Amino acid sequence: MSVQSVFPQLELLLPQVSKPIQYVGGELGAVVKDWDATTVRWALMYPDAYEVGLPNQGVQILYEVLNELPDVLAERTYAVWPDLERLMREHGVPQFTVDAHRPVGAFDVFGLSFATELGYTNLLTALSLAGIPLEARDRDDSHPVVVAGGHAAFNPEPIADFVDAAVLGDGEEAVLEITTIVRQWKAEGSPGGRDELLLRLARTESVYVPRFYDVDYLPDGRIQRVVPNRADVPFRVHKRTTMDLDAWPYPKKPLVPLAETVHERYAVEIFRGCTRGCRFCQAGMITRPVRERSITTVGQMVKEGLEFSGFSEVGLLSLSSADHSEIGDICSGLAEQYEGTNVSLSLPSTRVDAFNITLAQELSRNGRRTGLTFAPEGGSERIRKVINKMVSEEDLIRTVVTAYSNGWRQVKLYFMCGLPTETDEDVLQIARLAHEVIRAGRAATGSKDIRCTVSIGGFVPKPHTPFQWASMSPPEVIDSRLRKLKAEINSDRSLGRAIGFRYHDGEPSLIEGLLSRGDRRVGAVIRRVWEEGARFDGWSEHFSYQRWVDAAAAVLPDFGVDLAWYTTRERDELEVLPWDHLDSGLDKDWLWQDWQDSMSEFEQDDCRWTPCFDCGVCPSMDTEIQIGPTGRKLLPLTPVNTGLKVPAPH
Ligand code: SF4
């Protein structure tokens, strides 16, 4: 049966809302297909506003992969701002896709990609606007199958009541497999209804269907066990890994936004996975092993992506882009190719060494010199050992001074606060480092016209990392440390003037911590807080800490637990964690050992350059770590020699 566009009703509301253009679709790269000519239909959502959601690579890739199939249709939907939500409820307009403005409730599959858990309340808004029952158990065959993906899906337990399924890991092949199952099930006349479809998905062993698993609790609130409640589903669900990135050169036709968005560029992922082993970094852990895209595919994608989109900026993305074994050739090759054009190239620079500056120089041949960002993450050498971020103070100062000496005037340094074992002194060392950076930079350049911005994020322990057992510091502790840090930075007015200070207070991090390591009982908190009005929790102007605290206090005591139990409590080795039945490939014993090593301030090397230390991922994927198609490990560019003497730190 054909499905009507809701645009005629929506159009009447748009003059009354902010930024109406974000709801109209029609971007270059967008696809609209004939509903009746397709058999499997996906609505894809990034559960945030259009300006954040449109550039999301994951959604763009899946959108294109699915739409390349002639009998499959994929459309996008984003979170609507509260002004439009109110009007949609008043006028009975359902959650719609921006492509053909079809109601989300009419699709076969509603797939959401969660980069952060703070998007969970937007899931509930979208379900409710779509007319899809909030709880999966209340849905029938007329409703789409709601599937969660993205990094947060590695512990989907807090939203287990609201989603029908979750997919762990890379999505390209997973969406095709799900599509095949849905197509077949529909062709057979939908035998056994929704339950049978979910069962077929669960049997793939890489789609987690929470309703097929029961959670038992101990009297003290901890989990006793999570077990399948039927014989024909797997005990553990495994993540998907796309091994050959060259075979999946997406996006080929990047979406070009109509309204303003956070990134307007063509982004190419140059590799996936990271083996640096930063202990706080969930992305680095769950995306192993390292898989590189070849220099030829990267070059081809950039060429075709720019030709298609007309973008003038290219981002070479990954978790640590300077680590690609052919990054020197990639940067110099692209810089040469686009020299004299208006194309600018950028690399997210987080590695702290001079090599990164060499690359940045290559990429800025066209004259555009944007700020450089380095991420030492921890203020003291001791805490950097705890988190396994192998950067010495000397390296950091030398690197930043090299940047200043090569013409950069502005450098951003990113740190975290609230890390395990952290003391006030560890955080105050950030001020000393920043002072040193400015002092050394002024000495090396002879100029006072240099600045650095210290940016601080709150640490959130994440599932499938060595810090999954860690306690969080209460927000009062974080906020007090940050106040002291600010005072310390400004204690020397001459240096402090050249240092910007940006930070997030500790409260949103604590709630993110609740949602990251929560279990199914946390679903009741999410529902409660949403009913109390929570929307766009990732946005400071919408987030209300008190609303979350109140919701947690209202529902968690019934289960014998509370907010602190989920956040500031350290777990012990034998505790069953809510995500233990979800397999990221990492060995739990190895994670525990790495957690113990962290407490002893023992560093773990990068297995790209040193022998395997058995984290478990490669054998579970039946693969070996990929170090570039040429197998070359040496970085081909010579680091910049400025000839400048860098003053030793005090
Ligand atoms: S299994 Fe070994 S080589 Fe593979 S990612 Fe883990 S430590 Fe590295």
Side-chain angles (χ1 to χ4, degrees):
M1 201 177 66
S2 207
V3 164
Q4 299 299 313
S5 162
V6 302
F7 196 72
Q9 300 98 290
L10 177 69
E11 196 178 12
L12 300 174
L13 310 180
L14 292 183
Q16 303 170 58
V17 302
S18 60
K19 299 189 190 166
I21 195 165
Q22 66 187 303
Y23 304 117
V24 303
E27 304 93 338
L28 182 65
V31 177
V32 174
K33 286 184 170 179
D34 178 359
W35 182 270
D36 296 319
T38 56
T39 51
V40 181
R41 296 147 189 141
W42 284 74
L44 297 173
M45 181 175 201
Y46 188 82
D48 205 328
Y50 178 91
E51 61 197 85
V52 179
L54 182 126
N56 181 264
Q57 279 282 103
V59 170
Q60 288 205 23
I61 291 170
L62 302 186
Y63 179 71
E64 208 174 325
V65 165
L66 288 166
N67 275 320
E68 280 186 359
L69 299 177
D71 72 329
V72 176
L73 170 159
E75 298 191 5
R76 295 160 297 131
T77 183
Y78 302 102
V80 299
W81 285 112
D83 59 352
L84 182 57
E85 181 194 339
R86 200 185 59 251
L87 288 169
M88 286 165 70
R89 290 191 191 283
E90 255 173 61
H91 295 268
V93 177
Q95 180 80 26
F96 55 87
T97 60
V98 294
D99 298 292
H101 298 94
R102 286 162 174 146
V104 166
F107 287 73
D108 298 305
V109 188
F110 181 21
L112 298 104
S113 176
F114 290 98
T116 153
E117 297 82 0
L118 291 172
Y120 289 162
T121 47
N122 285 358
L123 157 71
L124 296 192
T125 308
L127 289 173
S128 130
L129 283 173
I132 302 170
L134 296 187
E135 310 254 341
R137 62 164 177 250
D138 297 329
R139 294 175 199 148
D140 61 32
D141 293 358
S142 69
H143 299 116
V145 170
V146 180
V147 182
H151 289 180
F154 278 80
N155 176 26
E157 291 301 85
I159 50 168
D161 290 343
F162 314 126
V163 297
D164 295 291
V167 176
L168 281 63
D170 296 328
E172 292 93 337
E173 292 162 286
V175 292
L176 295 184
E177 189 175 5
I178 293 172
T179 298
T180 303
I181 291 170
V182 174
R183 183 193 287 122
Q184 178 70 26
W185 173 78
K186 286 179 84 172
E188 290 170 20
S190 312
R194 192 178 188 82
D195 213 48
E196 166 71 16
L197 175 59
L198 291 172
L199 185 59
R200 292 186 187 189
L201 293 173
R203 284 205 198 112
T204 63
E205 303 199 356
S206 60
V207 178
Y208 172 54
V209 179
R211 73 171 65 174
F212 296 151
Y213 297 80
D214 289 336
V215 184
D216 297 330
Y217 299 96
L218 294 164
D220 65 4
R222 290 177 302 153
I223 293 173
Q224 183 180 25
R225 57 188 189 153
V226 181
V227 280
N229 53 29
R230 48 193 306 159
D232 42 7
V233 297
F235 268 88
R236 295 194 87 202
V237 180
H238 309 287
K239 77 165 176 182
R240 301 289 306 227
T241 303
T242 298
M243 289 307 297
D244 181 5
L245 292 195
D246 282 349
W248 299 89
Y250 297 90
K252 298 173 188 166
K253 295 178 177 167
L255 289 157
V256 181
L258 291 179
E260 199 181 323
T261 56
V262 289
H263 296 299
E264 280 163 33
R265 66 181 179 200
Y266 179 50
V268 182
E269 247 182 311
I270 58 173
F271 68 86
R272 281 189 197 163
C274 183
T275 46
R276 293 221 150 230
C278 305
R279 293 180 170 122
F280 54 83
C281 181
Q282 187 192 40
M285 294 285 165
I286 62 177
T287 59
R288 289 177 180 192
V290 168
R291 292 145 289 150
E292 292 193 348
R293 191 163 258 153
S294 71
I295 183 167
T296 40
T297 307
V298 171
Q300 192 69 16
M301 285 179 70
V302 171
K303 180 173 174 292
E304 290 172 8
L306 289 182
E307 275 168 15
F308 175 83
S309 64
F311 280 130
S312 57
E313 192 185 330
V314 178
L316 301 172
L317 305 189
S318 75
L319 292 170
S320 178
S321 290
D323 284 341
H324 191 292
S325 60
E326 296 183 296
I327 190 66
D329 289 341
I330 291 175
C331 290
S332 53
L334 290 175
E336 224 156 78
Q337 189 161 350
Y338 294 100
E339 193 160 7
T341 70
N342 69 343
V343 172
S344 69
L345 304 155
S346 68
L347 197 69
S349 320
T350 53
R351 206 173 94 177
V352 182
D353 62 25
F355 181 66
N356 238 321
I357 296 171
T358 310
L359 297 176
Q361 273 185 307
E362 277 291 326
L363 296 180
S364 59
R365 275 199 217 174
N366 275 354
R368 275 194 245 172
R369 219 153 246 211
T370 47
L372 279 178
T373 301
F374 297 105
E377 317 273 3
S380 70
E381 202 123 351
R382 187 197 74 78
I383 202 87
R384 287 197 293 274
K385 285 187 178 152
V386 169
I387 63 177
N388 204 39
K389 191 86 191 188
M390 291 167 275
V391 182
S392 69
E393 183 169 333
E394 215 181 343
D395 283 345
L396 175 68
I397 293 170
R398 186 185 304 114
T399 304
V400 178
V401 169
T402 308
Y404 290 140
S405 307
N406 282 284
W408 272 272
R409 290 281 155 266
Q410 169 73 37
V411 166
K412 190 161 142 191
L413 299 177
Y414 181 80
F415 298 91
M416 278 189 292
C417 184
L419 290 160
T421 77
E422 180 182 280
T423 62
D424 284 6
E425 186 45 35
D426 292 312
V427 175
L428 291 177
Q429 295 243 9
I430 296 172
R432 208 173 59 79
L433 260 181
H435 285 167
E436 279 312 322
V437 156
I438 295 297
R439 199 177 280 131
R442 284 178 181 169
T445 60
S447 163
K448 286 211 161 186
D449 179 28
I450 52 167
R451 283 188 63 74
C452 94
T453 300
V454 169
S455 179
I456 315 266
F459 163 68
V460 179
K462 294 278 180 174
H464 307 279
T465 69
F467 288 166
Q468 63 183 356
W469 291 278
S471 60
M472 295 183 77
S473 300
E476 314 80 76
V477 172
I478 306 283
D479 295 347
S480 137
R481 281 187 189 144
L482 293 177
R483 272 195 306 275
K484 288 179 191 163
L485 172 59
K486 190 171 183 188
E488 186 71 16
I489 288 175
N490 292 323
S491 64
D492 183 321
R493 292 193 55 193
S494 152
L495 297 170
R497 225 178 291 132
I499 301 169
F501 185 52
R502 297 218 183 105
Y503 66 95
H504 296 288
D505 57 33
E507 293 176 343
S509 300
L510 195 84
I511 300 307
E512 198 184 329
L514 165 74
L515 299 173
S516 297
R517 294 192 295 174
D519 51 41
R520 292 188 182 184
R521 295 169 293 191
V522 171
V525 182
I526 299 170
R527 178 150 189 176
R528 172 87 177 208
V529 81
W530 176 77
E531 285 166 351
E532 296 295 325
R535 306 286 188 277
F536 290 92
D537 285 299
W539 295 66
S540 52
E541 58 268 50
H542 292 275
F543 175 79
S544 161
Y545 181 61
Q546 198 54 47
R547 189 157 46 201
W548 280 95
V549 169
D550 292 346
V555 304
L556 292 179
D558 285 349
F559 304 116
V561 291
D562 61 14
L563 181 56
W565 189 87
Y566 283 104
T567 54
T568 54
R569 179 180 66 96
E570 185 172 325
R571 282 66 163 164
D572 68 29
E573 185 178 7
L574 297 180
E575 178 162 346
V576 176
L577 302 172
W579 52 90
D580 277 351
H581 56 300
L582 303 174
D583 179 15
S584 61
L586 295 156
D587 193 69
K588 194 176 177 188
D589 291 341
W590 176 78
L591 285 172
W592 177 262
Q593 186 52 50
D594 205 43
W595 168 229
Q596 300 308 300
D597 286 348
S598 142
M599 295 298 102
S600 329
E601 298 165 21
F602 178 81
E603 292 166 287
Q604 176 68 68
D605 283 334
D606 184 336
C607 63
R608 273 194 184 207
W609 325 111
T610 58
C612 167
F613 47 77
D614 292 328
C615 78
V617 168
C618 293
S620 73
M621 313 267 138
D622 197 20
T623 184
E624 283 185 6
I625 201 152
Q626 289 180 15
I627 319 224
T630 60
R632 220 170 10 167
K633 288 192 180 184
L634 286 177
L635 301 167
L637 286 189
T638 316
V640 177
N641 179 2
T642 61
L644 286 161
K645 231 172 150 296
V646 176
H650 291 282

